[in-house]
Amino acid sequence: MTKTKKPLSFYQSVGNYFKKAAPHTGLDKGLLKQIKVCNAVYAIHFPVEITDQKTGKKRVKVIEAYRVQHSHHRLPTKGGIRYSEHVNQSEVQALATLMSYKCAIVHVPFGGAKGGVKINPWEYSQEDLEKITRRYTYELLRRNFIGPATDVPAPDYGTGPREMSWIYDTYRTLRENDLNAAGCVTGKPVNMYGIKGRTEATGRGVFYGLQQACANEEDMKKLGLSKGIAGKKVVVQGLGNVGSFSAAISQVEGDALIIAVGEADGFILNEKGLDIAKLIAVKMETGSIMNYGDAKKYGPEDRGKVLELECDILIPAALENQITLANADKIKAKIIGEAANGPISSPAEDVLLKKGKLIVPDVFLNAGGVTVSYFEWLKNLSHMRFGRMDKRYRQQGRVNTLDLIGDMVGTPVAQDVYKKYAKGAGEVDLVRSGLEDAMITAYENIHEISREKNIDLRTAAFVNAIQLIGSDYEGMGIFP
Ligand code: GLU
């Protein structure tokens, strides 16, 4: 009997990426170990009285949940909370680890953390989800695993602004004297101390990151592609928050051609391009992308095949371990943009790299979410909306300049020119601009390391992160 090898866990893959990068960092072995391990793991069980969706009767459910703080080199620690029935300790450790590296790469001054609650959120009523979320928050607070200065959660798979508002409300009820209570969690609704542009942030960051990757003529030439994201054939796996915004913004602002989108119930394909805004509306109205009209349809038994389609850019935006040794050699995309965390296992990555694919790694590409979370946290600590002090001041400055130009040329500048240029930046303009800058700068940094050391982009991103975290530790005098 032939023994089949057990597929690698997500955490093992992250460990392999670290191992590959470590020799390029020049750091001390002990320091490397400290940067690799998870500093604190909080694993809990708590009871919640829920209503059984089938019988309608109340019963007690014991919930399994985690919060892992990977690195305390900077505080607070930061990272989302995932609601999924696949949650387990090792998965949360992998995700917390990626958060530390992600923050370092986009120069966001946080340590990494992640939370997970082992439930299928779509099987619970809103009332029960609220009870679970509030109780989880209480459990975190009891052990000092939440707070604006210690550990700041955010949305992840299966959670969103609604859950964040429950977390905030629970925290402020229990810590009513904390002036900075709103900074205990990010991704809150805009009318509840959130920030404009946070919901779209991860997807928008994916777009900025891919746009930057495609702007490099030499890299594109190696792949047999032309420069620029416009016109590139794109396939997206997963139309949740990250997949929807990545696809919609790449289409509207980047002119990319989204030819296929896949979800758990199958995938749809139209070589001439899908209308993403329409597709999102169809999914919202009917609950499934399969009800979109103008496309070929493939059912749930074929859902994995969406990854194997002929295209320029593949964006896995669902869960981890989607591309493994089982399908790596069938991937035809030339560029793979990891919008999800850990969609490629490390052995699969070796196969893809050998075939000359360009992998734009998760630790960089999906860092837009935490970047805008950082802006939200800063807004909460400053107790003021970005742009509040200077929007009108800047607008008036531009009006004055246009008036002056009119005076100088002897004809007043046209009203529509005033409309277009005489504007101050509002919150969302500043958030988008800050995000774009973070993504472009980070890409240039990891691209440079990759070129200099002749290593792939993920290894370069890990080298970058490990060195930055290492220099923090050295600065603290822990590793002189
Ligand atoms: N869950 C997101 C991530 O994986 C966002 C984390 C945050 O904003 O803190 O990056």
Side-chain angles (χ1 to χ4, degrees):
M1 208 173 70
T2 49
K3 234 171 120 190
T4 46
K5 248 174 119 191
K6 220 175 139 216
L8 229 55
S9 75
F10 181 16
Y11 195 34
Q12 282 169 319
S13 278
V14 174
N16 283 344
Y17 296 141
F18 187 95
K19 219 157 119 196
K20 202 167 156 191
H24 297 281
T25 60
L27 295 186
D28 165 87
K29 263 198 179 153
L31 177 51
L32 282 169
K33 185 158 189 205
Q34 172 54 37
I35 298 170
K36 185 170 188 247
V37 294
C38 287
N39 289 1
V41 179
Y42 183 32
I44 38 175
H45 286 92
F46 53 83
V48 178
E49 192 184 50
I50 57 150
T51 307
D52 194 305
Q53 295 294 297
K54 283 188 197 116
T55 61
K57 289 207 179 100
K58 296 243 186 240
R59 66 181 171 87
V60 173
K61 168 107 182 146
V62 177
I63 308 283
E64 179 182 328
Y66 302 89
R67 183 78 183 168
V68 172
Q69 294 174 349
H70 168 260
S71 179
H72 296 135
H73 67 287
R74 294 230 174 168
L75 287 171
T77 51
K78 187 86 189 75
I81 293 173
R82 172 173 292 205
Y83 284 4
S84 150
E85 53 195 346
H86 303 297
V87 159
N88 58 65
Q89 184 176 317
S90 134
E91 183 199 47
V92 185
Q93 285 181 275
L95 291 161
T97 307
L98 290 184
M99 283 311 304
S100 292
Y101 306 156
K102 213 183 277 190
C103 290
I105 290 165
V106 284
H107 293 187
V108 162
F110 295 141
K114 201 80 169 199
V117 179
K118 194 177 172 65
I119 54 164
N120 177 350
W122 292 277
E123 281 175 4
Y124 291 83
S125 65
Q126 170 158 324
E127 200 189 346
D128 288 345
L129 283 173
E130 181 170 350
K131 275 195 206 166
I132 294 168
T133 307
R134 287 184 182 276
R135 176 66 191 253
Y136 175 64
T137 309
Y138 167 72
E139 296 291 337
L140 293 181
L141 189 54
R142 253 162 42 107
R143 297 275 181 253
N144 211 17
F145 269 73
I146 184 171
T150 50
D151 189 352
V152 182
D156 197 77
Y157 183 85
T159 58
R162 180 184 66 175
E163 285 71 19
M164 302 308 114
S165 72
W166 294 331
I167 292 174
Y168 164 57
D169 190 54
T170 309
Y171 181 88
R172 75 164 166 189
T173 308
L174 298 169
R175 287 282 183 277
E176 58 181 337
N177 290 326
D178 186 344
L179 179 65
N180 293 320
C184 79
V185 64
T186 59
K188 302 176 294 292
V190 177
N191 61 3
M192 210 179 181
Y193 301 96
I195 193 165
K196 285 187 185 149
R198 173 61 185 87
T199 308
E200 64 169 31
T202 312
R204 178 169 285 282
V206 168
F207 165 63
Y208 290 144
L210 287 174
Q211 192 178 39
Q212 196 61 16
C214 293
N216 188 305
E217 198 160 4
E218 212 179 295
D219 290 350
M220 290 303 107
K221 222 172 171 182
K222 278 190 215 147
L223 298 168
L225 295 171
S226 58
K227 188 180 155 183
I229 198 170
K232 293 237 171 355
K233 286 190 177 183
V234 180
V235 169
V236 180
Q237 182 206 30
L239 203 68
N241 169 285
V242 179
S244 314
F245 283 108
S246 303
I249 298 171
S250 299
Q251 180 165 76
V252 174
E253 294 180 30
D255 264 334
L257 192 69
I258 318 287
I259 59 162
V261 171
E263 287 234 287
D265 45 357
F267 71 91
I268 58 169
L269 167 70
N270 183 340
E271 291 286 345
K272 290 205 185 93
L274 302 163
D275 179 340
I276 297 301
K278 203 163 127 193
L279 179 60
I280 293 170
V282 167
K283 186 185 161 180
M284 269 178 39
E285 262 164 44
T286 69
S288 172
I289 57 164
M290 303 309 280
N291 297 317
Y292 179 87
D294 188 20
K296 280 194 218 150
K297 313 220 169 120
Y298 301 83
E301 61 293 348
D302 284 327
R303 65 171 165 237
K305 298 231 167 72
V306 74
L307 301 164
E308 300 165 17
L309 292 172
E310 196 85 53
C311 62
D312 301 319
I313 307 178
L314 171 64
I315 305 183
L319 284 169
E320 60 260 22
N321 275 336
Q322 299 300 302
I323 303 176
T324 62
L325 282 182
N327 58 356
D329 58 352
K330 297 188 193 127
I331 306 298
K332 297 177 197 70
K334 294 179 174 161
I335 302 170
I336 303 160
E338 292 188 320
N341 286 309
I344 304 176
S345 75
S346 69
E349 173 163 85
D350 293 338
V351 175
L352 297 169
L353 290 175
K354 264 194 206 119
K355 288 182 141 190
K357 314 273 184 201
L358 178 68
I359 300 173
V360 189
D362 50 7
V363 269
F364 155 70
L365 195 64
N366 68 29
V370 76
T371 303
V372 177
S373 274
Y374 170 48
F375 301 156
E376 180 176 331
W377 180 77
L378 289 173
K379 175 184 180 181
N380 295 149
L381 298 196
S382 72
H383 300 263
M384 191 168 67
R385 177 182 86 234
F386 289 107
R388 176 164 180 178
M389 296 290 280
D390 58 0
K391 185 178 170 192
R392 278 185 192 277
Y393 181 78
R394 287 182 192 282
Q395 185 173 324
Q396 193 52 48
R398 291 180 175 204
V399 168
N400 295 346
T401 310
L402 291 173
D403 285 349
L404 187 68
I405 293 172
D407 287 349
M408 280 165 71
V409 295
T411 351
V413 172
Q415 276 309 310
D416 54 336
V417 176
Y418 274 96
K419 245 194 189 151
K420 195 165 168 202
Y421 294 107
K423 274 195 300 202
E427 183 171 80
V428 76
D429 306 308
L430 293 166
V431 163
R432 286 177 179 165
S433 155
L435 172 60
E436 185 173 10
D437 182 59
M439 295 305 291
I440 291 176
T441 310
Y443 189 80
E444 291 311 313
N445 289 342
I446 61 172
H447 189 266
E448 183 60 20
I449 296 173
S450 138
R451 224 180 35 85
E452 248 174 36
K453 298 188 184 286
N454 196 20
I455 50 180
D456 59 276
L457 272 184
R458 187 192 315 277
T459 309
F462 270 63
V463 169
N464 187 211
I466 295 168
Q467 285 180 331
L468 286 166
I469 297 173
S471 72
D472 262 21
Y473 275 117
E474 284 167 346
M476 282 176 214
I478 296 172
F479 289 90

Short mmCIF file of all heavy atoms in Angstrom, two decimals, residues 201-259:
data_model
loop_
_atom_site.label_atom_id
_atom_site.label_comp_id
_atom_site.label_asym_id
_atom_site.label_seq_id
_atom_site.Cartn_x
_atom_site.Cartn_y
_atom_site.Cartn_z
N ALA A 201 -10.85 48.64 1.73
CA ALA A 201 -9.39 48.82 1.80
C ALA A 201 -8.57 47.62 1.32
O ALA A 201 -7.61 47.79 0.58
CB ALA A 201 -8.98 49.20 3.22
N THR A 202 -8.92 46.41 1.75
CA THR A 202 -8.09 45.27 1.36
C THR A 202 -8.14 45.09 -0.16
O THR A 202 -7.11 44.93 -0.81
CB THR A 202 -8.53 44.00 2.11
OG1 THR A 202 -8.66 44.31 3.49
CG2 THR A 202 -7.54 42.87 1.93
N GLY A 203 -9.34 45.16 -0.73
CA GLY A 203 -9.51 45.00 -2.18
C GLY A 203 -8.82 46.12 -2.94
O GLY A 203 -8.17 45.90 -3.96
N ARG A 204 -8.94 47.34 -2.44
CA ARG A 204 -8.29 48.47 -3.11
C ARG A 204 -6.77 48.30 -3.05
O ARG A 204 -6.06 48.57 -4.02
CB ARG A 204 -8.74 49.79 -2.46
CG ARG A 204 -8.09 51.02 -3.04
CD ARG A 204 -8.76 52.30 -2.57
NE ARG A 204 -10.04 52.53 -3.23
CZ ARG A 204 -10.18 53.01 -4.47
NH1 ARG A 204 -9.13 53.31 -5.20
NH2 ARG A 204 -11.38 53.18 -5.00
N GLY A 205 -6.28 47.81 -1.92
CA GLY A 205 -4.84 47.56 -1.78
C GLY A 205 -4.39 46.49 -2.76
O GLY A 205 -3.30 46.58 -3.33
N VAL A 206 -5.21 45.47 -2.96
CA VAL A 206 -4.88 44.41 -3.92
C VAL A 206 -4.74 45.04 -5.31
O VAL A 206 -3.79 44.76 -6.05
CB VAL A 206 -5.98 43.31 -3.93
CG1 VAL A 206 -5.81 42.38 -5.12
CG2 VAL A 206 -5.94 42.52 -2.62
N PHE A 207 -5.64 45.94 -5.63
CA PHE A 207 -5.57 46.61 -6.94
C PHE A 207 -4.29 47.44 -7.06
O PHE A 207 -3.54 47.31 -8.04
CB PHE A 207 -6.82 47.47 -7.16
CG PHE A 207 -6.66 48.47 -8.28
CD1 PHE A 207 -6.45 48.03 -9.59
CD2 PHE A 207 -6.68 49.83 -8.04
CE1 PHE A 207 -6.27 48.94 -10.63
CE2 PHE A 207 -6.50 50.75 -9.07
CZ PHE A 207 -6.29 50.30 -10.36
N TYR A 208 -4.00 48.26 -6.04
CA TYR A 208 -2.79 49.10 -6.12
C TYR A 208 -1.54 48.21 -6.25
O TYR A 208 -0.61 48.52 -6.99
CB TYR A 208 -2.65 49.99 -4.88
CG TYR A 208 -3.66 51.11 -4.78
CD1 TYR A 208 -4.17 51.51 -3.55
CD2 TYR A 208 -4.09 51.80 -5.91
CE1 TYR A 208 -5.09 52.55 -3.44
CE2 TYR A 208 -5.01 52.85 -5.81
CZ TYR A 208 -5.51 53.21 -4.57
OH TYR A 208 -6.41 54.25 -4.46
N GLY A 209 -1.53 47.10 -5.50
CA GLY A 209 -0.37 46.21 -5.51
C GLY A 209 -0.17 45.56 -6.86
O GLY A 209 0.95 45.52 -7.40
N LEU A 210 -1.25 45.08 -7.44
CA LEU A 210 -1.13 44.42 -8.75
C LEU A 210 -0.80 45.42 -9.85
O LEU A 210 -0.04 45.14 -10.77
CB LEU A 210 -2.43 43.67 -9.08
CG LEU A 210 -2.66 42.39 -8.27
CD1 LEU A 210 -4.04 41.81 -8.55
CD2 LEU A 210 -1.58 41.35 -8.57
N GLN A 211 -1.38 46.61 -9.71
CA GLN A 211 -1.10 47.66 -10.69
C GLN A 211 0.41 47.98 -10.70
O GLN A 211 1.02 48.12 -11.76
CB GLN A 211 -1.90 48.91 -10.30
CG GLN A 211 -1.93 49.96 -11.36
CD GLN A 211 -2.78 51.15 -10.92
OE1 GLN A 211 -2.74 51.57 -9.78
NE2 GLN A 211 -3.54 51.69 -11.83
N GLN A 212 0.97 48.02 -9.50
CA GLN A 212 2.40 48.32 -9.38
C GLN A 212 3.24 47.18 -9.96
O GLN A 212 4.22 47.42 -10.67
CB GLN A 212 2.73 48.56 -7.89
CG GLN A 212 4.04 49.25 -7.66
CD GLN A 212 4.10 50.65 -8.29
OE1 GLN A 212 3.07 51.24 -8.66
NE2 GLN A 212 5.29 51.17 -8.45
N ALA A 213 2.83 45.95 -9.68
CA ALA A 213 3.56 44.79 -10.21
C ALA A 213 3.52 44.80 -11.74
O ALA A 213 4.53 44.55 -12.41
CB ALA A 213 2.96 43.49 -9.67
N CYS A 214 2.36 45.13 -12.30
CA CYS A 214 2.20 45.13 -13.76
C CYS A 214 2.89 46.32 -14.42
O CYS A 214 3.04 46.36 -15.64
CB CYS A 214 0.73 45.13 -14.15
SG CYS A 214 -0.11 43.61 -13.70
N ALA A 215 3.25 47.33 -13.61
CA ALA A 215 3.88 48.53 -14.18
C ALA A 215 5.35 48.28 -14.52
O ALA A 215 5.98 49.10 -15.18
CB ALA A 215 3.76 49.69 -13.20
N ASN A 216 5.90 47.16 -14.05
CA ASN A 216 7.31 46.89 -14.31
C ASN A 216 7.48 46.17 -15.66
O ASN A 216 7.17 44.98 -15.80
CB ASN A 216 7.89 46.03 -13.16
CG ASN A 216 9.38 45.88 -13.29
OD1 ASN A 216 9.90 45.45 -14.31
ND2 ASN A 216 10.09 46.28 -12.25
N GLU A 217 7.98 46.93 -16.61
CA GLU A 217 8.05 46.43 -17.98
C GLU A 217 8.90 45.17 -18.11
O GLU A 217 8.52 44.21 -18.78
CB GLU A 217 8.61 47.53 -18.88
CG GLU A 217 8.33 47.27 -20.34
CD GLU A 217 8.43 48.54 -21.18
OE1 GLU A 217 8.79 49.61 -20.65
OE2 GLU A 217 8.13 48.43 -22.38
N GLU A 218 10.04 45.18 -17.40
CA GLU A 218 10.97 44.06 -17.49
C GLU A 218 10.32 42.77 -16.97
O GLU A 218 10.39 41.71 -17.60
CB GLU A 218 12.18 44.40 -16.62
CG GLU A 218 13.49 43.84 -17.11
CD GLU A 218 14.59 44.29 -16.17
OE1 GLU A 218 14.85 45.53 -16.11
OE2 GLU A 218 15.15 43.44 -15.49
N ASP A 219 9.66 42.88 -15.82
CA ASP A 219 8.99 41.71 -15.23
C ASP A 219 7.89 41.19 -16.14
O ASP A 219 7.71 39.98 -16.30
CB ASP A 219 8.37 42.06 -13.86
CG ASP A 219 9.43 42.29 -12.80
OD1 ASP A 219 10.61 42.01 -13.07
OD2 ASP A 219 9.07 42.77 -11.70
N MET A 220 7.15 42.12 -16.74
CA MET A 220 6.05 41.70 -17.61
C MET A 220 6.59 41.02 -18.87
O MET A 220 6.05 40.04 -19.33
CB MET A 220 5.17 42.91 -18.00
CG MET A 220 4.36 43.47 -16.86
SD MET A 220 3.27 42.28 -16.06
CE MET A 220 4.12 42.01 -14.52
N LYS A 221 7.69 41.55 -19.37
CA LYS A 221 8.33 41.00 -20.57
C LYS A 221 8.72 39.54 -20.33
O LYS A 221 8.49 38.67 -21.18
CB LYS A 221 9.57 41.82 -20.92
CG LYS A 221 9.71 42.08 -22.39
CD LYS A 221 10.83 43.05 -22.59
CE LYS A 221 11.19 43.21 -24.04
NZ LYS A 221 12.33 44.14 -24.13
N LYS A 222 9.28 39.27 -19.13
CA LYS A 222 9.68 37.90 -18.78
C LYS A 222 8.50 36.96 -18.82
O LYS A 222 8.64 35.77 -19.08
CB LYS A 222 10.28 37.88 -17.37
CG LYS A 222 11.72 38.29 -17.31
CD LYS A 222 12.29 37.99 -15.93
CE LYS A 222 13.29 39.06 -15.54
NZ LYS A 222 13.35 39.36 -14.12
N LEU A 223 7.32 37.49 -18.53
CA LEU A 223 6.11 36.65 -18.52
C LEU A 223 5.43 36.61 -19.88
O LEU A 223 4.40 35.97 -20.06
CB LEU A 223 5.11 37.18 -17.48
CG LEU A 223 5.56 37.20 -16.01
CD1 LEU A 223 4.59 38.02 -15.17
CD2 LEU A 223 5.64 35.79 -15.46
N GLY A 224 5.99 37.36 -20.82
CA GLY A 224 5.37 37.44 -22.15
C GLY A 224 4.15 38.33 -22.15
O GLY A 224 3.23 38.17 -22.95
N LEU A 225 4.12 39.30 -21.23
CA LEU A 225 2.96 40.20 -21.12
C LEU A 225 3.37 41.64 -21.38
O LEU A 225 4.54 42.00 -21.21
CB LEU A 225 2.35 40.12 -19.72
CG LEU A 225 1.74 38.78 -19.30
CD1 LEU A 225 1.38 38.81 -17.81
CD2 LEU A 225 0.49 38.46 -20.12
N SER A 226 2.38 42.45 -21.76
CA SER A 226 2.69 43.87 -21.94
C SER A 226 2.56 44.57 -20.59
O SER A 226 1.95 44.05 -19.65
CB SER A 226 1.73 44.48 -22.95
OG SER A 226 0.42 44.28 -22.49
N LYS A 227 3.11 45.79 -20.54
CA LYS A 227 3.10 46.56 -19.30
C LYS A 227 1.68 47.07 -18.97
O LYS A 227 0.93 47.40 -19.89
CB LYS A 227 4.04 47.75 -19.52
CG LYS A 227 4.34 48.58 -18.33
CD LYS A 227 5.29 49.70 -18.73
CE LYS A 227 5.12 50.86 -17.78
NZ LYS A 227 5.93 52.00 -18.10
N GLY A 228 1.35 47.13 -17.70
CA GLY A 228 0.06 47.72 -17.28
C GLY A 228 -1.01 46.68 -17.00
O GLY A 228 -1.02 45.59 -17.59
N ILE A 229 -1.92 47.03 -16.12
CA ILE A 229 -2.99 46.09 -15.73
C ILE A 229 -4.16 46.13 -16.74
O ILE A 229 -4.92 45.17 -16.87
CB ILE A 229 -3.47 46.38 -14.28
CG1 ILE A 229 -4.24 45.16 -13.72
CG2 ILE A 229 -4.29 47.65 -14.19
CD1 ILE A 229 -4.54 45.23 -12.24
N ALA A 230 -4.27 47.25 -17.49
CA ALA A 230 -5.40 47.42 -18.42
C ALA A 230 -5.42 46.29 -19.45
O ALA A 230 -4.39 45.97 -20.04
CB ALA A 230 -5.29 48.77 -19.12
N GLY A 231 -6.58 45.71 -19.63
CA GLY A 231 -6.76 44.67 -20.65
C GLY A 231 -6.32 43.29 -20.20
O GLY A 231 -6.57 42.29 -20.89
N LYS A 232 -5.69 43.17 -19.05
CA LYS A 232 -5.24 41.84 -18.60
C LYS A 232 -6.46 41.00 -18.21
O LYS A 232 -7.40 41.48 -17.60
CB LYS A 232 -4.31 41.97 -17.38
CG LYS A 232 -2.99 42.63 -17.69
CD LYS A 232 -1.83 41.73 -17.32
CE LYS A 232 -0.48 42.23 -17.80
NZ LYS A 232 -0.35 43.39 -18.63
N LYS A 233 -6.37 39.69 -18.58
CA LYS A 233 -7.47 38.78 -18.26
C LYS A 233 -7.32 38.31 -16.82
O LYS A 233 -6.29 37.72 -16.46
CB LYS A 233 -7.43 37.57 -19.18
CG LYS A 233 -7.89 37.87 -20.58
CD LYS A 233 -8.03 36.57 -21.34
CE LYS A 233 -8.55 36.86 -22.73
NZ LYS A 233 -8.77 35.65 -23.49
N VAL A 234 -8.35 38.55 -16.02
CA VAL A 234 -8.27 38.26 -14.59
C VAL A 234 -9.33 37.24 -14.17
O VAL A 234 -10.48 37.32 -14.62
CB VAL A 234 -8.47 39.57 -13.78
CG1 VAL A 234 -8.40 39.30 -12.28
CG2 VAL A 234 -7.44 40.62 -14.17
N VAL A 235 -8.93 36.30 -13.31
CA VAL A 235 -9.88 35.35 -12.73
C VAL A 235 -9.85 35.53 -11.21
O VAL A 235 -8.78 35.64 -10.62
CB VAL A 235 -9.46 33.90 -13.09
CG1 VAL A 235 -10.25 32.88 -12.28
CG2 VAL A 235 -9.64 33.65 -14.58
N VAL A 236 -11.04 35.58 -10.60
CA VAL A 236 -11.12 35.81 -9.16
C VAL A 236 -11.81 34.63 -8.48
O VAL A 236 -12.89 34.22 -8.90
CB VAL A 236 -11.92 37.12 -8.86
CG1 VAL A 236 -11.99 37.37 -7.36
CG2 VAL A 236 -11.28 38.31 -9.56
N GLN A 237 -11.17 34.09 -7.45
CA GLN A 237 -11.82 33.03 -6.67
C GLN A 237 -12.30 33.64 -5.35
O GLN A 237 -11.50 34.10 -4.54
CB GLN A 237 -10.84 31.90 -6.34
CG GLN A 237 -11.51 30.77 -5.59
CD GLN A 237 -10.54 29.96 -4.72
OE1 GLN A 237 -9.55 30.46 -4.21
NE2 GLN A 237 -10.85 28.70 -4.55
N GLY A 238 -13.63 33.68 -5.16
CA GLY A 238 -14.20 34.24 -3.93
C GLY A 238 -14.72 35.65 -4.15
O GLY A 238 -13.95 36.54 -4.52
N LEU A 239 -16.04 35.83 -3.97
CA LEU A 239 -16.61 37.17 -4.15
C LEU A 239 -17.14 37.68 -2.80
O LEU A 239 -18.25 38.20 -2.70
CB LEU A 239 -17.71 37.15 -5.22
CG LEU A 239 -18.00 38.49 -5.89
CD1 LEU A 239 -16.85 38.96 -6.76
CD2 LEU A 239 -19.28 38.45 -6.73
N GLY A 240 -16.32 37.50 -1.76
CA GLY A 240 -16.64 38.10 -0.46
C GLY A 240 -16.17 39.54 -0.49
O GLY A 240 -16.01 40.12 -1.57
N ASN A 241 -15.90 40.11 0.66
CA ASN A 241 -15.49 41.52 0.71
C ASN A 241 -14.23 41.77 -0.12
O ASN A 241 -14.21 42.65 -0.99
CB ASN A 241 -15.28 41.93 2.17
CG ASN A 241 -14.60 43.28 2.31
OD1 ASN A 241 -13.40 43.42 2.10
ND2 ASN A 241 -15.37 44.30 2.62
N VAL A 242 -13.18 40.96 0.10
CA VAL A 242 -11.91 41.23 -0.57
C VAL A 242 -12.01 40.97 -2.08
O VAL A 242 -11.58 41.80 -2.89
CB VAL A 242 -10.78 40.37 0.06
CG1 VAL A 242 -9.45 40.63 -0.64
CG2 VAL A 242 -10.66 40.65 1.55
N GLY A 243 -12.60 39.84 -2.46
CA GLY A 243 -12.75 39.51 -3.88
C GLY A 243 -13.59 40.55 -4.61
O GLY A 243 -13.25 40.96 -5.73
N SER A 244 -14.70 40.98 -4.01
CA SER A 244 -15.59 41.94 -4.68
C SER A 244 -14.87 43.25 -4.97
O SER A 244 -14.91 43.76 -6.09
CB SER A 244 -16.81 42.32 -3.83
OG SER A 244 -17.40 41.22 -3.27
N PHE A 245 -14.23 43.81 -3.93
CA PHE A 245 -13.58 45.10 -4.15
C PHE A 245 -12.35 44.97 -5.05
O PHE A 245 -12.08 45.87 -5.86
CB PHE A 245 -13.24 45.79 -2.82
CG PHE A 245 -14.44 46.43 -2.17
CD1 PHE A 245 -15.01 45.89 -1.03
CD2 PHE A 245 -15.02 47.55 -2.73
CE1 PHE A 245 -16.13 46.47 -0.44
CE2 PHE A 245 -16.15 48.15 -2.15
CZ PHE A 245 -16.70 47.60 -0.99
N SER A 246 -11.60 43.86 -4.93
CA SER A 246 -10.44 43.69 -5.82
C SER A 246 -10.92 43.69 -7.27
O SER A 246 -10.35 44.36 -8.14
CB SER A 246 -9.72 42.36 -5.56
OG SER A 246 -9.32 42.23 -4.25
N ALA A 247 -11.97 42.91 -7.54
CA ALA A 247 -12.47 42.78 -8.91
C ALA A 247 -13.08 44.10 -9.40
O ALA A 247 -12.76 44.57 -10.50
CB ALA A 247 -13.50 41.66 -8.97
N ALA A 248 -13.95 44.69 -8.58
CA ALA A 248 -14.66 45.90 -9.03
C ALA A 248 -13.69 47.05 -9.29
O ALA A 248 -13.78 47.74 -10.31
CB ALA A 248 -15.70 46.30 -7.98
N ILE A 249 -12.73 47.27 -8.38
CA ILE A 249 -11.82 48.40 -8.55
C ILE A 249 -10.85 48.13 -9.71
O ILE A 249 -10.53 49.03 -10.49
CB ILE A 249 -11.08 48.72 -7.22
CG1 ILE A 249 -12.12 49.12 -6.17
CG2 ILE A 249 -10.06 49.84 -7.40
CD1 ILE A 249 -11.60 49.27 -4.75
N SER A 250 -10.39 46.86 -9.85
CA SER A 250 -9.50 46.55 -10.98
C SER A 250 -10.21 46.79 -12.31
O SER A 250 -9.61 47.22 -13.29
CB SER A 250 -9.04 45.09 -10.93
OG SER A 250 -8.33 44.85 -9.75
N GLN A 251 -11.52 46.52 -12.33
CA GLN A 251 -12.28 46.74 -13.57
C GLN A 251 -12.53 48.23 -13.83
O GLN A 251 -12.23 48.73 -14.90
CB GLN A 251 -13.62 46.01 -13.47
CG GLN A 251 -14.49 46.18 -14.70
CD GLN A 251 -15.62 45.17 -14.73
OE1 GLN A 251 -16.60 45.30 -14.01
NE2 GLN A 251 -15.47 44.17 -15.55
N VAL A 252 -13.03 48.93 -12.81
CA VAL A 252 -13.43 50.33 -13.03
C VAL A 252 -12.21 51.27 -13.13
O VAL A 252 -12.14 52.10 -14.01
CB VAL A 252 -14.37 50.79 -11.89
CG1 VAL A 252 -14.68 52.27 -12.00
CG2 VAL A 252 -15.64 49.98 -11.90
N GLU A 253 -11.24 51.10 -12.22
CA GLU A 253 -10.12 52.05 -12.21
C GLU A 253 -8.91 51.55 -12.99
O GLU A 253 -8.04 52.33 -13.35
CB GLU A 253 -9.72 52.36 -10.76
CG GLU A 253 -10.82 53.12 -10.05
CD GLU A 253 -10.50 53.46 -8.60
OE1 GLU A 253 -9.33 53.66 -8.26
OE2 GLU A 253 -11.47 53.52 -7.82
N GLY A 254 -8.83 50.22 -13.22
CA GLY A 254 -7.64 49.69 -13.90
C GLY A 254 -7.93 49.15 -15.28
O GLY A 254 -7.01 48.72 -15.97
N ASP A 255 -9.22 49.12 -15.67
CA ASP A 255 -9.58 48.60 -16.99
C ASP A 255 -9.17 47.15 -17.21
O ASP A 255 -8.91 46.74 -18.34
CB ASP A 255 -8.94 49.45 -18.10
CG ASP A 255 -9.92 50.48 -18.60
OD1 ASP A 255 -11.13 50.23 -18.47
OD2 ASP A 255 -9.47 51.54 -19.10
N ALA A 256 -9.09 46.39 -16.13
CA ALA A 256 -8.77 44.96 -16.27
C ALA A 256 -10.02 44.23 -16.77
O ALA A 256 -11.15 44.68 -16.57
CB ALA A 256 -8.33 44.39 -14.93
N LEU A 257 -9.80 43.09 -17.42
CA LEU A 257 -10.92 42.32 -17.96
C LEU A 257 -11.16 41.11 -17.04
O LEU A 257 -10.37 40.17 -17.03
CB LEU A 257 -10.54 41.84 -19.36
CG LEU A 257 -11.65 41.26 -20.22
CD1 LEU A 257 -12.63 42.34 -20.63
CD2 LEU A 257 -11.06 40.59 -21.47
N ILE A 258 -12.23 41.18 -16.25
CA ILE A 258 -12.49 40.07 -15.32
C ILE A 258 -13.29 39.01 -16.08
O ILE A 258 -14.48 39.22 -16.38
CB ILE A 258 -13.28 40.55 -14.07
CG1 ILE A 258 -12.78 41.89 -13.55
CG2 ILE A 258 -13.29 39.46 -12.99
CD1 ILE A 258 -11.47 41.92 -12.85
N ILE A 259 -12.65 37.89 -16.38
CA ILE A 259 -13.33 36.91 -17.24
C ILE A 259 -14.06 35.81 -16.45
O ILE A 259 -14.97 35.18 -16.97
CB ILE A 259 -12.37 36.26 -18.27
CG1 ILE A 259 -11.20 35.56 -17.56
CG2 ILE A 259 -11.87 37.29 -19.28
CD1 ILE A 259 -10.48 34.56 -18.46
#
